[in-house]
Amino acid sequence: MIAMEYDAVVVGGGVAGVSAGTMLGRSRRRVAVVDGGQPRNAASKHLHGFLSRDGVEPAELLATGREELLGYGGELLTERVDGVERGAEHGFVVRLAGGKALTTRSVLVATGLGDELPGIPGVREQWGETVLHCPYCHGYEFRDSPLAVLGGDNRPFTLHQAQLVRQWSSDVVFFPDRVKLTEDEHERLTARGVRVVEGEVARVLTHEDGVSGVELVDGRVLSRSAVFVGPRFVPHDELLTRLGCELGEHGWVATDTTGRTSVDGVWAAGNVVDNPAQLINAAGAGSTAAVAINHYLLAEDVEQALADHRASGQAFSRT
């Protein structure tokens, strides 16, 4: 077996990547986590739904995780990865933007996804604070408040969101905007207690504390305390697709239950392959992938040890 600098390189230093790197470090593997420094939840001030860490800042959670990673011998490189290639005979070469190349026996991609938001003024400005997408992450904090849901390009998600948000408040207004509702969809929303307000949305109104309302092109204004939108989720999967990882029927990179892709030695975890995954799910996926990677490396280690043993000419004896 050709000597490699690392047993595993993890691309992406969010919760999934750091979780994986920590587990591999605890398994006494040579592991590096390479992070470009652009976490998806950077705009959020607090995280929720993460056992024992509810309400902390996302940056605090990552800082704690990275300390643990380093404590178990893992490396953390603050750098952007430009590409991942198969090695000439074995493993992979991970090329960094600064020019350095890392050689590794296996790769885990945990690069997350991007949220493409509706181009409505006020949405981007309040994104992650009072303009939100996940009621499981933020709904409780705005319970019993006047809420809005904006129609967007992700139509199925938007309609589901309008029904779901109603669970946290009895005062929910759905603005279809450019989404044309069927009679059945309109009736279902009405039956659920969601008020439907037709018309093109001009902007989300804000003040120093966040959202104050939604203004329509015709001048109507409805006061609201928070707005939920359905982004179009775009996975940052270029590294995986360039390697030739197969896509599933939904158009995202396909993995098995451990995160293993169709390319031998390559795994993926977190939002890059699972758009609904919350932080706690991403952490679990990273740990699951790390265990699978360790087992993959173990199988190689056993085969190499056997080959070395036979090459040494030592006789096998049963004691």
Side-chain angles (χ1 to χ4, degrees):
M1 186 182 298
I2 300 172
M4 295 281 163
E5 190 174 1
Y6 296 100
D7 292 316
V9 168
V10 180
V11 185
V15 170
V18 172
S19 175
T22 301
M23 180 60 74
L24 286 163
R26 284 180 54 81
S27 302
R28 308 194 72 179
R29 293 295 184 182
R30 297 162 297 164
V31 58
V33 176
V34 187
D35 181 46
Q38 295 179 316
R40 181 189 181 195
N41 61 359
S44 298
K45 292 182 178 179
H46 304 97
L47 63 87
H48 298 284
F50 200 112
L51 189 65
S52 82
R53 292 295 180 268
D54 190 75
V56 305
E57 295 183 12
E60 179 183 339
L61 178 70
L62 274 184
T64 301
R66 288 168 179 174
E67 286 180 9
E68 293 172 353
L69 166 71
L70 297 173
Y72 289 115
E75 296 181 33
L76 180 63
L77 307 177
T78 303
E79 182 68 278
R80 191 182 77 249
V81 173
D82 278 349
V84 180
E85 306 163 6
R86 293 177 186 269
E89 297 180 49
H90 182 76
F92 302 89
V93 178
V94 179
R95 301 197 180 277
L96 308 185
K100 186 177 180 180
L102 312 178
T103 57
T104 179
R105 295 168 62 189
S106 62
V107 174
L108 169 63
V109 176
T111 44
L113 59 78
D115 297 293
E116 288 194 358
L117 301 173
I120 297 172
V123 168
R124 175 62 65 182
E125 291 82 351
Q126 280 295 312
W127 177 241
E129 296 192 24
T130 52
V131 174
L132 312 156
H133 97 273
C134 177
Y136 293 107
C137 301
H138 305 287
Y140 189 83
E141 284 60 49
F142 292 95
R143 64 194 182 280
D144 301 325
S145 300
L147 305 178
V149 178
L150 302 185
D153 293 336
N154 192 342
R155 191 179 194 279
F157 184 92
T158 293
L159 294 177
H160 173 71
Q161 190 181 51
Q163 297 281 17
L164 181 61
V165 168
R166 172 65 179 81
Q167 195 164 324
W168 281 265
S169 174
S170 60
D171 184 2
V172 177
V173 174
F174 178 52
F175 297 87
D177 197 32
R178 292 180 295 274
V179 174
K180 186 174 178 56
L181 296 175
T182 66
E183 289 185 8
D184 180 68
E185 289 167 342
H186 197 296
E187 185 180 18
R188 287 176 178 276
L189 287 164
T190 301
R192 174 70 168 151
V194 176
R195 180 183 171 196
V196 178
V197 175
E198 301 282 359
E200 185 178 348
V201 175
R203 59 180 174 143
V204 172
L205 300 172
T206 62
H207 51 59
E208 60 181 13
D209 295 324
V211 165
S212 63
V214 176
E215 181 180 354
L216 300 177
V217 170
D218 61 16
R220 285 178 292 164
V221 174
L222 281 84
S223 297
R224 301 285 95 183
S225 297
V227 172
F228 285 82
V229 300
R232 192 168 74 86
F233 304 120
V234 182
H236 296 154
D237 60 3
E238 297 85 0
L239 299 177
L240 295 166
T241 56
R242 287 179 200 159
L243 277 168
C245 296
E246 293 179 0
L247 303 182
E249 59 183 25
H250 55 1
W252 289 47
V253 170
T255 64
D256 68 9
T257 56
T258 72
R260 188 169 188 161
T261 73
S262 61
V263 175
D264 189 46
V266 178
W267 273 258
N271 285 145
V272 68
V273 289
D274 182 12
N275 76 74
Q278 296 177 296
L279 286 177
I280 197 164
N281 304 115
S287 180
T288 297
V291 170
I293 290 170
N294 187 57
H295 291 171
Y296 169 83
L297 296 171
L298 172 62
E300 287 191 341
D301 292 341
V302 171
E303 290 303 313
Q304 186 62 52
L306 179 61
D308 292 344
H309 176 81
R310 288 173 174 171
S312 71
Q314 298 180 39
F316 172 75
S317 62
R318 187 187 301 273
T319 58

